[in-house]
């Protein structure tokens, strides 16, 4: 599932973020960045997914 989220974050950034954190301010920010261009949205999505995985590996909650 982790690889799928990274691929979706790269190809369809809002979908990757939605599958990772759900509906919230992070998703809205990603949608706005994606509307500005595919590259900013993809960079943000990969960052959000990687940060989420890092926090899940350390045992802490996401926020």
């Amino acid at each position: 599932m982790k690889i799928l989220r990274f691929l979706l974050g790269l190809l369809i950034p809002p979908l990757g973020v939605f599958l990772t954190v759900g509906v919230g301010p992070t998703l809205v920010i990603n949608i706005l960045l994606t509307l500005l261009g595919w590259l900013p949205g993809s960079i943000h999505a990969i960052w959000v997914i990687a940060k989420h995985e890092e926090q899940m590996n350390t045992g802490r909650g996401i926020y």
Side-chain angles (χ1 to χ4, degrees):
M1 186 68 173
K2 180 176 20 173
I3 293 174
L4 178 63
R5 281 195 307 243
F6 275 109
L7 285 174
L8 287 173
L10 187 62
L11 299 174
I12 309 168
L15 184 57
V17 171
F18 172 73
L19 290 175
T20 303
V21 296
V23 176
T26 306
L27 179 63
V28 173
I29 291 169
N30 187 265
I31 290 171
L32 293 174
L33 285 171
T34 304
L35 289 174
L36 289 174
W38 170 79
L39 187 61
S42 292
I43 291 170
H44 179 257
I46 296 298
W47 181 78
V48 167
I49 295 167
K51 199 63 153 167
H52 180 266
E53 291 297 326
E54 176 185 310
Q55 289 177 349
M56 294 305 286
N57 288 339
T58 59
R60 297 184 340 211
I62 187 165
Y63 296 107

